[in-house]
Each structure stands twice: as C-alpha cells, then as structure tokens.
C-alpha cells in the first residue's frame, strides 16, 4: 500500500482561523488583513495565535471551520475489502480504479504468490497474528504454513479462472466476478479536515481492521504535515478517545 498527498488547500490553518473569526467579528473578513483578523486571539506571534484559536475550536467542538480546507490523497494497492470500508464515509469523494475497463489479463500466476494482485492479510502468514473475532490465538508454524498454502492456492486458482474467462471472450466487467475481495485497487479520495478527523476516529481505532487502520495512519501522517497545528492537536488530545462524536 502507498498513500500520497496529491493536492491540498494552501495554508489551511489560515482558512480555518479566518472562517472561525468571521463568526465573531463585526468587520467583513474580506476587508481585513490576517493580522487584523487574529488581533484578539491570545499569543505573541501569529503562529501562537493560530495555535490558541485552533486548540480552542477543537476543544469546544466548534468543528465547522475545519470543513473549509480540503485534501486529495492517492492510494495504491488496497484490497477491495478496504475500499468497501472507506467508501462508507459519505462526505468523502472517491474515484476508484475500474475493473470494467482495466483487466488483469497479463498477470503471471507466479506473481500472485508475491502479493502482486491480491493483498495478503498478515494472518495468512504470521502464526502469532491475533485478529478481531479470532477464536484461537497463536498457531503453530505448521498451521501457519498450511494457511498460506490454502490462501495462495485459492487466489492462484481464481486468477487462472479469470484469465481463462477473458480468453473465452467474457467481458472483464463480468469475468471479475470470480476474483477475490482481496484484489488490489487504486483510488483517489478527497475530504475536508473535519471529515479526516472523523475517518481517523473510526478507522485508526483499535477495533478497526489492520488494513484500513494502516491506511488511515498514513493519511494522518500526511495530514500532520499539511495542517500541522490541527492534526498535532488531534493526535495529542483527541485521537483514540472513548465516546467519540462525529467531529
Ligand atoms: C469497526 C467497525 C465495524 C463496522 N462494521 C460494519 C458492519 O458490520 N456492517 C456495516 O454495514 N457497517 C459497518 N461499519 C460501518 C459503520 O457502520 C459506518 O457506516 C461507517 O463507518 C461510516 O461512518 P459514519 O456512520 O460515521 O458515516 P459518515 O458517512 O462517515 O458520516 C459522518 C457523520 O455524518 C453524520 N451522518 C452522515 N449521514 C447521515 C445520515 N444519513 N443520517 C444521520 N447522520 C448522518 C453522522 O454523524 C456520521 O457519523 C463498521 C465500522 C467500523 C469502524
């Protein structure tokens, strides 16, 4: 899996602060400099003032201003299962690589074992991996090896069947029905900073599945570089809290 930040609102925290201060100013923010807009916020420098204001907004649940800055991420090689989970979030916009128009007819079945086409869950190879709702804990090496064998055989068989159906003239949009839910897909997704915190609340949580959790952690790392005051505050004071509400 790979996650990249493709595009994002320039100076997102200036946008957040301007929108928030708009609510409490008699002057029109469009006629004011940023220094004037931030004049009454606590702090000696403009950065300190932004930190105070953003921390205050987040601590008091004033989340509206965080809907203005938006970021677009490119995600490579997640499973269709992970894609189904993330696309449940209705305020995120998506573009998903199509299996109607992109066929995998040139994939070598040998590459399938290398995880080229299908995501391999850690539980297929790691004897000590303990997942959610798993009845047994660690298993012996022999069981783990057998799991890997069964997993790879099933995928190899599915890919061979898919390729044979294409050879028999079946359209890719129909032949794909035999491919596993772990088949890799690329996508582009855009969301605002508020939604990003909500996705992180739900998908970086311990009860979330490992794949979407890993993807969300990568998105959060990029968000912290893009919108540092907000996401440092989120990571320090809000992430992982119980009784979370949709921010
Ligand atoms: C660990 C885990 C297990 C899950 N298991 C399942 C499962 O087994 N089956 C399943 O179907 N789903 C499952 N989900 C998905 C989950 O139920 C949500 O559908 C998904 O996470 C989208 O999040 P959301 O409901 O916050 O909505 P989002 O679309 O992210 O919307 C954000 C917020 O906007 C508000 N909102 C959006 N739309 C509406 C609306 N129509 N009405 C009222 N308020 C709205 C809500 O406050 C919501 O929290 C699971 C999620 C997790 C994290």
């Amino acid at each position: 899996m790979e996650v990249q930040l493709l595009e994002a609102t320039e100076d997102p925290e200036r946008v957040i602060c301007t929108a928030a201060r708009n609510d409490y100013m008699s002057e029109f923010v469009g006629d004011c400099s940023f220094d004037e807009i931030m004049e009454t916020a606590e702090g000696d420098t403009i950065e300190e003032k932004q930190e105070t204001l953003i921390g205050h907004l987040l601590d008091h649940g004033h989340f509206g201003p965080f809907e203005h800055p938006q970021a677009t991420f490119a995600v490579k090689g997640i499973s269709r299962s992970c894609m189904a989970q993330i696309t449940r979030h209705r305020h995120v916009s998506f573009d998903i690589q199509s299996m109607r128009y992109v066929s995998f007819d040139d994939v070598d079945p040998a590459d399938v074992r290398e995880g080229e086409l299908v995501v391999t869950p850690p539980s297929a190879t790691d004897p000590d991996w303990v997942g959610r709702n798993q009845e047994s804990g660690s298993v012996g090496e022999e069981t783990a090896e057998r799991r890997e064998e069964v997993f790879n055989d099933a995928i190899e068989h599915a890919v061979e069947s898919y390729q044979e159906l294409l050879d028999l003239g079946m359209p890719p949009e129909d032949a794909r029905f035999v491919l596993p839910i772990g088949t890799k897909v690329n996508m582009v997704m855009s969301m605002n900073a508020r939604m990003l915190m909500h996705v992180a609340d739900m998908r970086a949580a311990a009860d979330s599945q490992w794949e979407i959790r890993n993807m969300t952690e990568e998105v959060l790392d990029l968000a912290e570089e893009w919108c540092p005051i907000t996401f440092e505050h989120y990571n320090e004071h809000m992430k992982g809290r119980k009784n979370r509400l949709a921010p």
Side-chain angles (χ1 to χ4, degrees), residues 88-91 132 195 198 202-203 207-208 244 246:
R88 293 298 301 276
H89 294 285
R90 290 157 282 188
H91 307 294
R132 203 167 156 247
M195 192 57 204
H198 174 64
M202 301 204 74
R203 304 301 186 173
D207 59 352
S208 196
R244 54 196 185 229

Side-chain angles (χ1 to χ4, degrees), residues 40-53:
T40 57
E42 222 175 274
D44 294 331
T45 63
I46 198 76
E47 289 76 23
E48 277 179 22
K49 285 170 184 268
Q50 281 182 289
E51 259 172 54
T52 314
L53 178 56

